[in-house]
Amino acid sequence: MLRIGPIFDSAKIGLKASTLVALRVDAKRIDEIAQIINQYENVSHNYQRDNEYNVWFTLTAQNDKELNEVLEQIRQKLNVPKQDLLNLPTRHLFKINVIFQLTTKT
């Protein structure tokens, strides 16, 4: 599925902490897990990977304390053991500026 949407500079809107999260979950639970993750406004997107860690998502918050609180809340709601969650915090943010021409030629 392809989705086109805005990309915000999270720091400029007050979200100074971000992380990439990887989960190792039973494949039968992926849809359930995605529905729960999507309930959090702190999550910008999630996706399935063909890997031992098969659900990935990005999480942003105002600061590290809030980020860790939300992440722990999500982990508990998903009933995922701590060892099945990888928290990969952003150390250096790279933003690319891509502009697509959305008009068609006739």
Side-chain angles (χ1 to χ4, degrees), residues 18-53:
S18 63
T19 191
L20 176 64
V21 180
L23 299 172
R24 180 173 36 210
V25 299
D26 185 328
K28 295 174 190 162
R29 293 191 63 208
I30 288 177
D31 288 338
E32 168 203 351
I33 299 274
Q35 286 178 2
I36 293 170
I37 291 169
N38 287 339
Q39 294 173 4
Y40 287 84
E41 63 184 29
N42 304 69
V43 174
S44 62
H45 64 283
N46 63 63
Y47 48 96
Q48 181 179 354
R49 304 276 319 247
D50 185 20
N51 191 290
E52 176 182 358
Y53 289 87

Coordinates of all heavy atoms in Angstrom, one line a residue, residues 18-53:
S18 N 12.6 11.1 19.9 CA 12.0 10.2 18.9 C 12.8 8.9 19.0 O 14.0 8.8 19.3 CB 12.0 10.7 17.5 OG 13.3 11.0 17.0
T19 N 12.1 7.8 18.6 CA 12.8 6.5 18.6 C 12.1 5.6 17.5 O 11.0 5.9 17.1 CB 12.7 5.8 19.9 OG1 13.5 4.7 20.0 CG2 11.3 5.4 20.3
L20 N 12.9 4.7 17.1 CA 12.4 3.6 16.2 C 12.2 2.4 17.1 O 13.2 2.0 17.9 CB 13.4 3.3 15.1 CG 13.0 2.2 14.1 CD1 11.7 2.4 13.4 CD2 14.2 1.9 13.2
V21 N 11.1 1.7 17.0 CA 10.8 0.6 17.9 C 10.6 -0.7 17.1 O 9.9 -0.6 16.1 CB 9.5 0.8 18.8 CG1 9.3 -0.3 19.7 CG2 9.7 2.1 19.6
A22 N 11.2 -1.7 17.5 CA 11.1 -3.0 16.8 C 10.5 -4.0 17.8 O 11.0 -4.1 19.0 CB 12.4 -3.5 16.3
L23 N 9.5 -4.8 17.4 CA 8.8 -5.8 18.2 C 9.0 -7.1 17.6 O 8.9 -7.3 16.4 CB 7.3 -5.4 18.4 CG 6.9 -4.1 19.0 CD1 5.4 -3.9 18.9 CD2 7.4 -4.1 20.4
R24 N 9.1 -8.1 18.5 CA 9.1 -9.5 18.1 C 7.8 -10.1 18.6 O 7.6 -10.2 19.8 CB 10.3 -10.3 18.7 CG 10.4 -11.7 18.3 CD 11.6 -12.4 18.8 NE 12.1 -11.9 20.1 CZ 13.3 -11.9 20.5 NH1 14.3 -12.3 19.7 NH2 13.7 -11.5 21.7
V25 N 6.8 -10.3 17.7 CA 5.5 -10.8 18.1 C 5.1 -12.0 17.2 O 5.6 -12.2 16.1 CB 4.5 -9.6 17.9 CG1 4.8 -8.5 18.9 CG2 4.3 -9.2 16.5
D26 N 4.1 -12.7 17.7 CA 3.6 -13.8 17.0 C 2.9 -13.3 15.7 O 2.1 -12.3 15.8 CB 2.5 -14.5 17.9 CG 1.9 -15.8 17.3 OD1 1.8 -15.8 16.0 OD2 1.6 -16.7 18.0
A27 N 3.2 -13.8 14.6 CA 2.7 -13.4 13.3 C 1.1 -13.3 13.3 O 0.5 -12.4 12.7 CB 3.1 -14.2 12.2
K28 N 0.5 -14.1 14.1 CA -1.0 -14.1 14.2 C -1.5 -12.9 14.9 O -2.7 -12.5 14.7 CB -1.5 -15.4 14.9 CG -1.1 -16.7 14.3 CD -1.5 -17.8 15.1 CE -1.0 -19.1 14.5 NZ -0.9 -20.2 15.5
R29 N -0.7 -12.2 15.6 CA -1.1 -11.0 16.3 C -0.8 -9.6 15.6 O -1.1 -8.6 16.1 CB -0.4 -10.9 17.7 CG -0.8 -12.0 18.7 CD -0.3 -11.8 20.1 NE -0.9 -10.5 20.6 CZ -0.3 -9.8 21.5 NH1 0.9 -10.1 22.0 NH2 -0.8 -8.6 21.9
I30 N -0.2 -9.7 14.4 CA 0.3 -8.5 13.8 C -0.8 -7.5 13.6 O -0.7 -6.3 13.9 CB 1.0 -8.8 12.5 CG1 2.4 -9.4 12.9 CG2 1.2 -7.6 11.6 CD1 3.2 -9.9 11.7
D31 N -2.0 -7.9 13.1 CA -3.1 -7.0 12.8 C -3.6 -6.3 14.2 O -3.8 -5.1 14.2 CB -4.2 -7.6 12.1 CG -3.9 -7.9 10.7 OD1 -3.0 -7.3 10.1 OD2 -4.6 -8.8 10.1
E32 N -3.7 -7.2 15.2 CA -4.1 -6.7 16.5 C -3.1 -5.7 17.0 O -3.5 -4.6 17.5 CB -4.2 -7.9 17.5 CG -4.4 -7.5 18.9 CD -3.9 -8.6 19.9 OE1 -3.6 -9.7 19.5 OE2 -3.8 -8.3 21.1
I33 N -1.8 -6.0 16.9 CA -0.7 -5.1 17.4 C -0.8 -3.8 16.7 O -0.7 -2.7 17.3 CB 0.6 -5.8 17.2 CG1 0.7 -7.1 18.0 CG2 1.8 -4.8 17.5 CD1 1.2 -7.0 19.4
A34 N -0.9 -3.8 15.3 CA -1.0 -2.6 14.5 C -2.2 -1.7 14.9 O -2.0 -0.5 15.0 CB -1.0 -2.9 13.1
Q35 N -3.3 -2.3 15.2 CA -4.5 -1.5 15.6 C -4.2 -0.8 16.9 O -4.6 0.3 17.1 CB -5.7 -2.4 15.7 CG -6.2 -2.9 14.3 CD -7.4 -3.8 14.5 OE1 -7.9 -4.1 15.5 NE2 -7.9 -4.2 13.3
I36 N -3.6 -1.5 17.9 CA -3.3 -0.9 19.2 C -2.3 0.2 19.0 O -2.5 1.3 19.5 CB -2.8 -2.0 20.2 CG1 -4.0 -2.9 20.5 CG2 -2.3 -1.3 21.4 CD1 -3.6 -4.1 21.3
I37 N -1.2 0.0 18.3 CA -0.2 1.0 18.0 C -0.8 2.2 17.4 O -0.5 3.4 17.7 CB 1.0 0.4 17.2 CG1 1.7 -0.6 18.0 CG2 1.9 1.5 16.7 CD1 2.7 -1.4 17.2
N38 N -1.7 2.0 16.4 CA -2.2 3.1 15.7 C -3.1 4.0 16.5 O -3.5 5.1 16.1 CB -3.1 2.6 14.5 CG -2.2 2.1 13.4 OD1 -1.0 2.5 13.3 ND2 -2.7 1.3 12.5
Q39 N -3.5 3.6 17.7 CA -4.3 4.4 18.6 C -3.5 5.5 19.3 O -4.1 6.5 19.8 CB -4.9 3.5 19.7 CG -5.9 2.5 19.2 CD -6.4 1.6 20.3 OE1 -6.0 1.7 21.5 NE2 -7.2 0.6 19.9
Y40 N -2.2 5.5 19.2 CA -1.4 6.5 19.9 C -1.0 7.6 18.9 O -0.4 7.3 17.8 CB -0.1 5.8 20.4 CG -0.4 4.9 21.6 CD1 -0.8 3.6 21.5 CD2 -0.2 5.5 22.9 CE1 -1.1 2.9 22.6 CE2 -0.5 4.7 24.0 CZ -1.0 3.4 23.9 OH -1.3 2.6 25.0
E41 N -1.3 8.8 19.3 CA -1.0 9.9 18.4 C 0.6 10.2 18.3 O 1.0 10.8 17.4 CB -1.6 11.2 18.9 CG -1.2 11.7 20.3 CD -2.0 12.9 20.7 OE1 -3.2 13.1 20.3 OE2 -1.4 13.7 21.5
N42 N 1.3 9.6 19.2 CA 2.8 9.7 19.2 C 3.4 8.8 18.1 O 4.6 9.0 17.8 CB 3.4 9.2 20.6 CG 2.8 10.0 21.7 OD1 1.7 9.9 22.1 ND2 3.6 10.8 22.3
V43 N 2.6 7.9 17.5 CA 3.2 7.0 16.5 C 2.9 7.6 15.1 O 1.7 7.9 14.8 CB 2.5 5.6 16.6 CG1 2.9 4.7 15.5 CG2 2.9 5.0 18.0
S44 N 3.9 7.8 14.4 CA 3.7 8.4 13.0 C 3.4 7.3 12.0 O 2.6 7.5 11.1 CB 4.9 9.2 12.6 OG 6.0 8.4 12.5
H45 N 4.0 6.2 12.1 CA 3.7 5.1 11.2 C 4.3 3.8 11.8 O 5.1 3.8 12.6 CB 4.2 5.3 9.8 CG 5.7 5.4 9.7 ND1 6.4 6.6 10.2 CD2 6.7 4.6 9.3 CE1 7.7 6.3 10.0 NE2 7.9 5.1 9.5
N46 N 3.7 2.7 11.2 CA 4.3 1.4 11.6 C 4.3 0.5 10.4 O 3.6 0.8 9.4 CB 3.5 0.7 12.8 CG 2.1 0.4 12.5 OD1 1.8 -0.4 11.6 ND2 1.2 1.1 13.2
Y47 N 5.1 -0.6 10.4 CA 5.1 -1.5 9.3 C 5.6 -2.8 9.7 O 6.2 -3.0 10.7 CB 6.0 -0.9 8.2 CG 7.4 -0.4 8.6 CD1 8.5 -1.2 8.5 CD2 7.5 0.9 9.1 CE1 9.7 -0.7 9.0 CE2 8.7 1.4 9.5 CZ 9.8 0.5 9.4 OH 11.1 1.0 9.9
Q48 N 5.2 -3.8 8.9 CA 5.6 -5.2 9.1 C 6.9 -5.5 8.4 O 7.1 -5.0 7.2 CB 4.5 -6.1 8.6 CG 4.8 -7.6 8.9 CD 3.6 -8.5 8.4 OE1 2.6 -8.0 8.0 NE2 3.8 -9.8 8.4
R49 N 7.8 -6.2 9.0 CA 9.1 -6.6 8.3 C 9.2 -8.2 8.3 O 8.7 -8.8 9.3 CB 10.3 -6.1 9.1 CG 10.3 -4.6 9.4 CD 10.9 -3.8 8.3 NE 12.1 -4.3 7.6 CZ 13.3 -3.7 7.6 NH1 13.5 -2.7 8.4 NH2 14.2 -4.2 6.9
D50 N 9.8 -8.7 7.4 CA 10.0 -10.1 7.3 C 11.3 -10.4 8.0 O 12.4 -10.5 7.4 CB 10.1 -10.6 5.8 CG 10.2 -12.1 5.7 OD1 9.9 -12.8 6.7 OD2 10.7 -12.6 4.6
N51 N 11.2 -10.4 9.4 CA 12.4 -10.5 10.2 C 12.0 -11.1 11.5 O 10.8 -11.2 11.8 CB 13.0 -9.1 10.4 CG 14.3 -9.0 11.0 OD1 14.4 -9.3 12.2 ND2 15.3 -8.7 10.3
E52 N 12.9 -11.5 12.4 CA 12.6 -11.9 13.7 C 11.8 -10.8 14.5 O 10.9 -11.1 15.1 CB 13.9 -12.2 14.5 CG 13.7 -12.6 15.9 CD 15.0 -12.8 16.7 OE1 16.1 -12.7 16.0 OE2 15.0 -13.1 17.9
Y53 N 12.3 -9.6 14.3 CA 11.5 -8.4 14.8 C 10.6 -8.0 13.7 O 11.1 -7.3 12.7 CB 12.5 -7.3 15.3 CG 13.2 -7.7 16.6 CD1 14.4 -8.4 16.5 CD2 12.6 -7.3 17.8 CE1 15.0 -8.8 17.7 CE2 13.3 -7.7 19.0 CZ 14.4 -8.4 18.9 OH 15.0 -8.8 20.1

